[in-house]
Amino acid sequence: MVRAVPGPVSGARVARRIATAAAYGGGGAGLLGGAAVGLLMAEVRLARRRVGGSDDVPPVADGVYGTAVASLGPGAQATPLRLALLGDSTAAGQGVHRPRQTPGALLAAGLAAVAERPVRLRNVALSGACSDDLDRQVSRLLENGGIDGDGAPDVCVVMIGANDVTHRVPPAVSVRLLSDAVARLRAAGSEVVVGTCPDLGTVEPVAQPLRWLARRMSRRLAAAQTVAVVEQGGWTVSLGDLLGPEFEANPRELFGPDNYHPSAEGYATAAMAFLPTLCAALGLWPEEDERPGAPGCTDAPGTARRAGVLPAEEALPVEAAAAAAAGEGGTEVSGTRGPLALLRRRRRRRLPAAGVIAVAERPGTPEPAGAGGGDARTPLR
């Protein structure tokens, strides 16, 4: 009989144990025995055949976004903010074919609209990467004077963890590598927002018992990642089962052509959850828009907060906040004073039609002029 996924109390203990093992160089808590690992790998091979896959190279979206909105507000600035993406295929935008559909482009466009300032995007993520590739990616960002010689990124978004689970990287090793990467970026002066390991149990073609095992492993890794990132001064957004309900209801719309990675609509859904935290890390998110009923704000469909059950934010021990966030997609965790962390269930702001902005999708590509622009214009929602 399949048991339920451990609740927040046991999840908090495991998250702290893995994070502590990471800090002291241990191998971490073993989650599965040898027989279970053999079964898991057999199920993984079957799932890969079912869901397909793609060797397509993700589109390159590096460039400057949002110069068209830079002059709209009284406090607008012309100097671009520097945004970097690191991680695996999700950060790279695997599964879509247009640069503007990638999560990097979506976040850069959204950040530019909120900041009323151009955003220069640099994406060094690598499809198939595990956490052991983060050191190389950080070095690429910081070498030769940072992004285009202008310094380290103002803010970095990291999405990592799914391949660590499927490639059986020991959880403490995975967390230590992520923690080291966050520490390097923070030391260079960058704010860091980490999208923690997604809930692999939400992939529809995956059968039991793999689905239960994948959910258990990915949620535990996500919680431990959160503990480590917050203790390094970073922010986390739980990918969790963020797209689970949407994928189940609209699989043709939210899955990409490879039946595994998100489609353009799927990435847009994830970007809408990331954007408030990305802006908050830079001190740009209008906190008054977090109040219930604020114009243009919306909760994710079906969330407990919408029903008035869960508070908008809670101050909790960091491991308890991490365990709670791992089970609730789209939830933010950041550090506070003392041993507590702040668990936030942010409202997602849908930008008005005027938020459609022109972007240059390649370095050196001129921005579209006027109200036209066709595919080079990204609607923010």
Side-chain angles (χ1 to χ4, degrees):
M1 181 175 66
V2 176
R3 295 181 297 168
V5 175
V9 176
S10 61
R13 287 198 298 266
V14 172
R16 170 55 66 187
R17 191 164 78 244
I18 294 173
T20 300
Y24 289 95
L31 300 181
L32 297 172
V37 167
L39 175 60
L40 177 61
M41 290 302 103
E43 290 280 3
V44 165
R45 288 191 291 270
L46 178 60
R48 283 175 178 168
R49 288 198 295 270
R50 288 177 176 173
V51 303
S54 173
D55 294 326
D56 291 346
V57 177
V60 177
D62 289 7
V64 179
Y65 291 70
T67 57
V69 299
S71 60
L72 295 182
Q77 300 183 49
T79 305
L81 287 166
R82 299 180 297 277
L83 167 66
L85 261 73
L86 307 86
D88 55 24
S89 57
T90 304
Q94 187 88 29
V96 295
H97 300 290
R98 297 179 182 273
R100 65 183 178 86
Q101 297 171 331
T102 63
L106 292 166
L107 290 173
L111 178 57
V114 174
E116 296 181 349
R117 182 175 174 182
V119 173
R120 184 177 297 281
L121 172 66
R122 176 84 184 280
N123 194 327
V124 295
L126 178 67
S127 293
C130 295
S131 294
D132 60 3
D133 193 56
L134 289 176
D135 184 65
R136 182 193 64 83
Q137 294 182 27
V138 172
S139 295
R140 283 192 62 194
L141 281 179
L142 300 182
E143 66 187 2
N144 301 322
I147 296 180
D148 293 340
D150 291 331
D154 294 296
V155 62
C156 296
V157 172
V158 184
M159 301 182 192
I160 201 75
N163 294 323
D164 293 71
V165 172
T166 60
H167 289 73
R168 299 167 56 186
V169 177
V173 173
S174 175
V175 171
R176 183 170 66 251
L177 292 166
L178 173 60
S179 179
D180 290 346
V182 174
R184 287 185 64 192
L185 291 169
R186 294 286 295 144
S190 301
E191 297 292 341
V192 183
V193 179
V194 174
T196 55
C197 181
D199 184 349
L200 298 178
T202 62
V203 178
E204 188 63 28
V206 176
Q208 296 288 12
L210 174 60
R211 182 175 296 185
W212 175 78
L213 293 172
R215 171 165 288 127
R216 180 182 178 92
M217 295 169 71
S218 52
R219 287 190 178 184
R220 285 185 169 184
L221 177 57
Q225 287 176 322
T226 298
V227 172
V229 169
V230 169
E231 291 183 343
Q232 291 290 353
W235 305 59
T236 64
V237 175
S238 172
L239 293 181
D241 61 351
L242 178 65
L243 299 180
E246 287 89 348
F247 277 150
E248 186 174 354
N250 302 292
R252 292 185 179 179
E253 289 78 14
L254 295 178
F255 270 123
D258 64 2
N259 297 317
Y260 183 76
H261 292 94
S263 65
E265 290 80 4
Y267 280 126
T269 300
M272 190 170 69
F274 257 98
L275 183 61
T277 302
L278 181 67
C279 295
L282 293 170
L284 297 172
W285 194 247
E287 293 299 328
E288 63 270 16
D289 283 354
E290 293 294 303
R291 69 185 186 279
C297 293
T298 179
D299 284 316
T303 59
R305 182 184 170 190
R306 187 176 185 177
V309 176
L310 296 175
E313 60 182 46
E314 301 174 85
L316 300 169
V318 62
E319 56 268 24
E328 186 180 345
T331 307
E332 171 194 301
V333 181
S334 61
T336 61
R337 295 178 182 177
L340 301 180
L342 196 60
L343 175 72
R344 279 195 178 98
R345 301 171 179 91
R346 288 192 180 272
R347 291 179 177 272
R348 305 178 194 175
R349 189 172 70 177
R350 293 185 181 276
L351 301 183
V356 177
I357 66 174
V359 301
E361 294 182 337
R362 297 286 202 282
T365 301
E367 295 226 348
D375 286 342
R377 296 172 63 83
T378 303
L380 305 177
R381 48 179 185 154

